[in-house]
Amino acid sequence: MATKFTVVNATKKPTTKRTAAKSKIGQTFDQDQMHLIAKGKTKHDILKSTINEALNNNTFNSNFVISSDPGLAKSYETKKALAAKNDPNILLLEGSASMPAFTIDVATAVYLAKGKHLTVVLDDCDMLFEDKNLNTAKKMFDDTRALKYNKNFRSLKSLCTDLQFEAIESFSSPDKAGFSVPLDNTTFVVLTNRRLPTINQVDEQEGGTKKESKFTDLHAIRRRTEGESFTMETLELWGYVANIVLNEKICEKFKPAISVEEKIQLLEWLHARWDRVTERNLSLVEKLTKDMVRYPTAYKDIWNKYLEVK
């Protein structure tokens, strides 16, 4: 009796969860939506690349300003990169409430670095770009490369720990009331919701006005820093959000077992109402996901609270 052999098709690859998910995505979204998602992925890749350049490939120790609308993963991607790098000579400052508090924190970090290169990541520290602080900010990024406090530094003692006061005192001098923190060995990576104006936007302002002066000062910071300013049209923004929902773990933070079908449902709901939602960012995605957990049978009705009534 002849022996029977089973022929296996070596070229056929087994279906994986990932390929199955891609198939569902391709079958659900139309060509225009897939194009928007692809454009969103490109923007997201640029964001990650810019953060990587600032933290890991900053050959010239340039200061970076990365700006976009709120809720587009600047903080999320930067914190991921910081966790992967795990460098003790990087300081993350989040949401400093005032310029004195910011100055104390930076002075202490520079003092503790003891001459080693220090990277300071500023997240949501937009007070740096307020009118009253612009002159101080400019000196941080121009050839001065110093953080100056021109009032009597002893007035800050009640805000400081013993170590912090020791730090700011070390940068003082007997002939001046204030102090100056040298930043020649410090690099700043600024994450902000504010966009620094271009030279064309400066030129558009009426000469001699306060607005022109402010734009000029902000543009001076733009000239002396590197980075990226992310702007997207309305539907491109949906593609950006959709790409992150489909390819990152943003929903899984609140619903670990969320399915591809549920993500698609969320994104389709958003796409159909993108001109009516109260916010267009990843923060809204987080709220919608939380509602799926809280109201498993009624979340689609609950979602309507995020729509503007016209």
Side-chain angles (χ1 to χ4, degrees):
M1 179 184 253
T3 304
K4 292 184 178 180
F5 294 94
T6 302
V7 178
V8 178
N9 185 352
T11 62
K12 187 175 180 180
K13 295 181 180 179
T15 301
T16 64
K17 286 185 178 180
R18 188 172 182 82
T19 55
K22 284 186 176 180
S23 176
K24 287 175 186 175
I25 293 166
Q27 291 169 9
T28 304
F29 296 119
D30 63 30
Q31 187 173 354
D32 289 341
Q33 290 171 318
M34 292 299 292
H35 178 63
L36 291 170
I37 293 170
K39 289 181 75 173
K41 183 180 185 306
T42 299
K43 287 279 189 180
H44 188 218
D45 287 344
I46 292 171
L47 172 65
K48 291 189 288 186
S49 175
T50 305
I51 292 168
N52 179 65
E53 183 180 350
L55 295 177
N56 300 311
N57 192 29
N58 196 349
T59 307
F60 302 103
N61 291 330
S62 302
N63 294 309
F64 274 71
V65 176
I66 303 171
S67 61
S68 77
D69 290 335
L72 296 183
K74 298 186 299 296
S75 301
Y76 171 77
E77 291 297 346
T78 301
K79 287 176 181 177
K80 269 185 23 179
L82 289 175
K85 190 174 179 66
N86 193 27
D87 187 340
N89 291 315
I90 296 181
L91 171 69
L92 173 63
L93 291 181
E94 298 181 273
S96 290
S98 67
M99 202 63 186
F102 168 80
T103 304
I104 291 167
D105 285 338
V106 173
T108 305
V110 173
Y111 176 71
L112 292 175
K114 300 185 184 302
K116 294 180 182 177
H117 183 265
L118 175 69
T119 298
V120 179
V121 179
L122 304 179
D123 186 9
D124 196 23
C125 296
D126 287 352
M127 53 81 205
L128 200 60
F129 301 125
E130 292 176 1
D131 293 0
K132 61 184 178 181
N133 299 325
L134 273 177
N135 283 333
T136 300
K138 282 196 301 180
K139 288 180 174 61
M140 290 169 55
F141 300 115
D142 67 15
D143 293 339
T144 307
R145 294 303 292 266
L147 176 56
K148 294 181 176 291
Y149 186 82
N150 295 320
K151 299 177 183 178
N152 191 326
F153 77 88
R154 291 176 180 81
S155 65
L156 298 177
K157 190 165 187 177
S158 62
L159 303 176
C160 296
T161 64
D162 290 344
L163 174 61
Q164 288 173 327
F165 192 73
E166 179 183 321
I168 62 175
E169 191 172 32
S170 74
F171 297 119
S172 67
S173 58
D175 57 329
K176 292 182 180 179
F179 62 93
S180 179
V181 183
L183 300 175
D184 46 296
N185 209 21
T186 302
T187 298
F188 288 93
V189 180
V190 183
L191 311 177
T192 178
N193 300 330
R194 298 194 181 195
R195 290 184 177 82
L196 301 180
T198 65
I199 188 59
N200 291 323
Q201 290 170 326
V202 174
D203 291 343
E204 288 170 0
Q205 307 310 309
E206 184 180 347
T209 62
K210 286 185 177 180
K211 193 171 183 180
E212 185 211 27
S213 177
K214 179 176 181 176
F215 271 48
T216 300
D217 287 343
L218 288 170
H219 180 67
I221 296 173
R222 182 186 182 115
R223 283 192 297 111
R224 292 177 171 92
T225 57
E226 299 189 33
E228 198 75 41
S229 179
F230 291 88
T231 57
M232 286 170 268
E233 294 180 2
T234 302
L235 280 176
E236 286 180 333
L237 194 50
W238 175 85
Y240 182 89
V241 167
N243 166 67
I244 292 177
V245 168
L246 295 170
N247 296 303
E248 301 289 337
K249 300 292 184 182
I250 179 170
C251 296
E252 283 82 350
K253 288 190 297 181
F254 309 103
K255 196 175 193 308
I258 190 169
S259 66
V260 175
E261 290 84 359
E262 288 173 318
K263 288 185 176 184
I264 290 172
Q265 181 188 58
L266 184 153
L267 292 172
E268 284 190 308
W269 186 92
L270 283 174
H271 185 269
R273 299 159 180 81
W274 199 238
D275 61 337
R276 295 172 53 206
V277 290
T278 52
E279 54 186 300
R280 285 184 277 269
N281 52 39
L282 293 164
S283 299
L284 179 55
V285 168
E286 292 182 343
K287 292 172 185 176
L288 298 180
T289 308
K290 288 177 183 177
D291 287 339
M292 295 174 84
V293 176
R294 292 191 192 108
Y295 314 103
T297 61
Y299 59 86
K300 289 191 74 173
D301 291 330
I302 300 295
W303 284 355
N304 289 325
K305 71 180 179 181
Y306 303 111
L307 300 178
E308 287 188 356
V309 178
K310 292 189 177 181

